[in-house]
Amino acid sequence: MSSGPRYVRYLILAALTICTFFVFSRNAIPIPENIGSKIDTYKGAISGYTSSHSDNASPEQPVTHAPSSSVSAPVAARVNATFVTLARNHDVWDMARSIRQVEDRFNRNYHYDWVFLNDKPFDETFKKITTALVSGTTYYGLIPEEHWSYPEWIDQEKAKKVREDMGQKKIIYGDSESYRHMCRYESGFFFRHPLMMNYEYYWRVEPSIELLCDIPFDPFRFMKENNKMYSFVLSLYEYYDTIPTLWDSVKKFMGAYPGHVAEGNSMEFLSDDGGKTFNKCHFWSNFEVGSLDWLRSDSYIDYFSSLDRDGGFFYERWGDAPVHSIAAGILLPKEQIHFFNDIAYYHIPFTHCPASEQLRLDLKCHCNPNDNFDWKGYSCTARYFDINDLEPPEGYPESN
């Protein structure tokens, strides 16, 4: 029976090892010191800008909630990046599901921050649940009223009539006022919130998404090291009745700012006739990893401001997905847009699942390849491969 004392010694040694690991590995992420200066840098880009607050805190000292029992990865191993979510308090449980997907499949190894934004103050339940699930530091921001309201040049009666007409036609979100504010905010303001100012890259996460495979690499680092500005996993055609004059506004912008139009851009992804008309192809923006510096650039700010002045966010129902996609397509060289084939993703009703069986096995995927939307008729992903002269990924149906 001499194994008894030896077993106890093993237990004591294991406990001491674990305690030592936690003492030396725990690394709370500090509040960014230069966030105030970065806010000042971009104030001039927003007409009527006033600093927003993270609930009741100033931009220089935002409300943060660090997890109480996580072990942070070394800061040097991470890119200056964050997850970002626009959500409301009633989204808490759908958001909890998304966070677990992201943490279990990726962030438990990296502990990136997470910024939550809301046009109303977050309640304690939302903060408590999300903080407990995120392995990085969580930040909670209040959207300033001027970014979630009508600009002075919008005729609100005209906008109301448009919503009523679209509602009668059963156009999805056609009668929603809040959806329009959301699309405008995601198109032109989220990246200028004070809590976002200290980051270089963002990963947008929405409630009730699924990540269907492990992510054994850092997408943020991939973007930075390969000079990528925008990325996607799903693409499709937009519902034309929501954007009938969007391309007219885009052409007006290109005429006014020809220097912002990039050489070697992705116009062929967006148009079948050299830019005369929009073919409605766009990247689905409920998943996107991108450069915040690009979104804050003169070219993007001028692009958004030009579109915003035309009023289509309210007089039609312009979505942030085509707005972001067209911007990436005309303002960036095509090689700066990336398709993450190895990030398997689901957002109702579409799935991206890697076509390669070996890749799915390697990444411990649980998606059904028959559900993959990439090569179906309503997807634009094949067009992306064509215009970039890329070989289809392994398992692509036509390569067999």
Side-chain angles (χ1 to χ4, degrees), residues 22-260:
F22 273 82
V23 167
F24 288 100
S25 298
R26 188 179 174 95
N27 178 25
I29 301 175
I31 305 303
E33 294 180 356
N34 62 336
I35 193 167
S37 63
K38 291 208 173 188
I39 294 166
D40 292 337
T41 301
Y42 294 103
K43 279 184 180 179
I46 312 172
S47 177
Y49 179 92
T50 58
S51 295
S52 63
H53 297 266
S54 177
D55 293 351
N56 296 319
S58 69
E60 289 75 21
Q61 293 182 320
V63 172
T64 66
H65 291 259
S68 61
S69 60
S70 67
V71 180
S72 295
V75 173
R78 300 197 297 266
V79 173
N80 185 15
T82 185
F83 295 99
V84 60
T85 294
L86 184 62
R88 290 179 166 167
N89 289 309
H90 63 74
D91 293 321
V92 61
W93 297 114
D94 290 334
M95 199 62 234
R97 175 183 176 185
S98 294
I99 294 171
R100 283 309 305 257
Q101 296 283 321
V102 172
E103 290 291 334
D104 292 350
R105 288 298 197 175
F106 168 72
N107 201 41
R108 63 188 175 88
N109 296 320
Y110 291 91
H111 315 300
Y112 278 107
D113 294 350
W114 206 306
V115 174
F116 296 95
L117 301 174
N118 190 351
D119 65 313
K120 300 290 189 294
F122 282 108
D123 61 30
E124 287 306 311
T125 297
F126 189 98
K127 292 179 182 178
K128 180 172 61 176
I129 297 301
T130 53
T131 295
L133 293 173
V134 173
S135 62
T137 301
T138 54
Y139 294 77
Y140 300 89
L142 182 64
I143 296 170
E145 183 178 356
E146 62 270 24
H147 295 171
W148 198 277
S149 57
Y150 292 99
E152 61 184 7
W153 56 85
I154 294 298
D155 181 339
Q156 294 189 39
E157 285 301 315
K158 177 180 176 180
K160 180 180 178 181
K161 182 63 165 59
V162 168
R163 294 196 303 274
E164 292 171 350
D165 290 345
M166 283 193 172
Q168 292 176 358
K169 295 176 182 178
K170 306 299 182 184
I171 294 173
I172 185 169
Y173 301 119
D175 59 351
S176 174
E177 185 177 34
S178 63
Y179 189 83
R180 286 170 167 80
H181 287 304
M182 181 275 291
C183 289
R184 179 173 179 257
Y185 184 77
E186 293 280 28
S187 296
F189 296 106
F190 85 91
F191 49 88
R192 296 188 277 193
H193 191 283
L195 291 178
M196 298 296 291
M197 286 299 185
N198 208 50
Y199 299 103
E200 296 177 59
Y201 295 89
Y202 72 99
W203 180 335
R204 178 171 164 181
V205 181
E206 296 204 350
S208 295
I209 62 98
E210 290 186 55
L211 293 179
L212 305 169
C213 304
D214 284 351
I215 304 174
F217 67 99
D218 185 347
F220 293 126
R221 182 162 294 282
F222 175 88
M223 297 286 287
K224 185 177 181 67
E225 292 182 349
N226 293 278
N227 193 30
K228 304 294 185 181
M229 297 293 123
Y230 190 84
S231 65
F232 72 102
V233 293
L234 286 165
S235 69
L236 66 159
Y237 292 93
E238 180 62 301
Y239 188 4
Y240 179 76
D241 287 346
T242 66
I243 54 158
T245 69
L246 173 58
W247 195 250
D248 292 334
S249 291
V250 171
K251 289 194 292 184
K252 184 173 77 171
F253 160 77
M254 290 191 290
Y257 295 93
H260 288 338

Side-chain angles (χ1 to χ4, degrees), residues 222-223 226-235 262-270 282-284 287-291 294 324-341 384-385 387-388 390:
F222 175 88
M223 297 286 287
N226 293 278
N227 193 30
K228 304 294 185 181
M229 297 293 123
Y230 190 84
S231 65
F232 72 102
V233 293
L234 286 165
S235 69
E263 293 186 11
N265 62 30
S266 300
M267 180 62 78
E268 292 175 279
F269 180 81
L270 303 170
H282 70 286
F283 309 119
W284 219 24
F287 171 97
E288 55 186 14
V289 182
S291 165
W294 170 59
H324 282 191
S325 301
I326 292 169
I330 64 175
L331 303 180
L332 297 174
K334 64 176 67 174
E335 62 268 17
Q336 291 188 327
I337 302 173
H338 182 68
F339 170 58
F340 275 116
N341 180 54
Y384 168 82
F385 275 80
I387 71 160
N388 287 281
L390 297 174

Side-chain angles (χ1 to χ4, degrees), residues 349-365:
F350 301 120
T351 298
H352 164 63
C353 183
S356 165
E357 180 180 35
Q358 188 58 55
L359 183 59
R360 294 196 304 273
L361 293 174
D362 292 343
L363 299 182
K364 298 179 173 59
C365 301

Side-chain angles (χ1 to χ4, degrees), residues 300-322:
Y300 188 89
I301 295 296
D302 288 342
Y303 165 80
F304 169 75
S305 298
S306 179
L307 267 56
D308 197 28
R309 275 283 173 182
D310 287 344
F313 290 105
F314 300 105
Y315 297 149
E316 295 177 7
R317 203 229 66 191
W318 295 353
D320 55 277

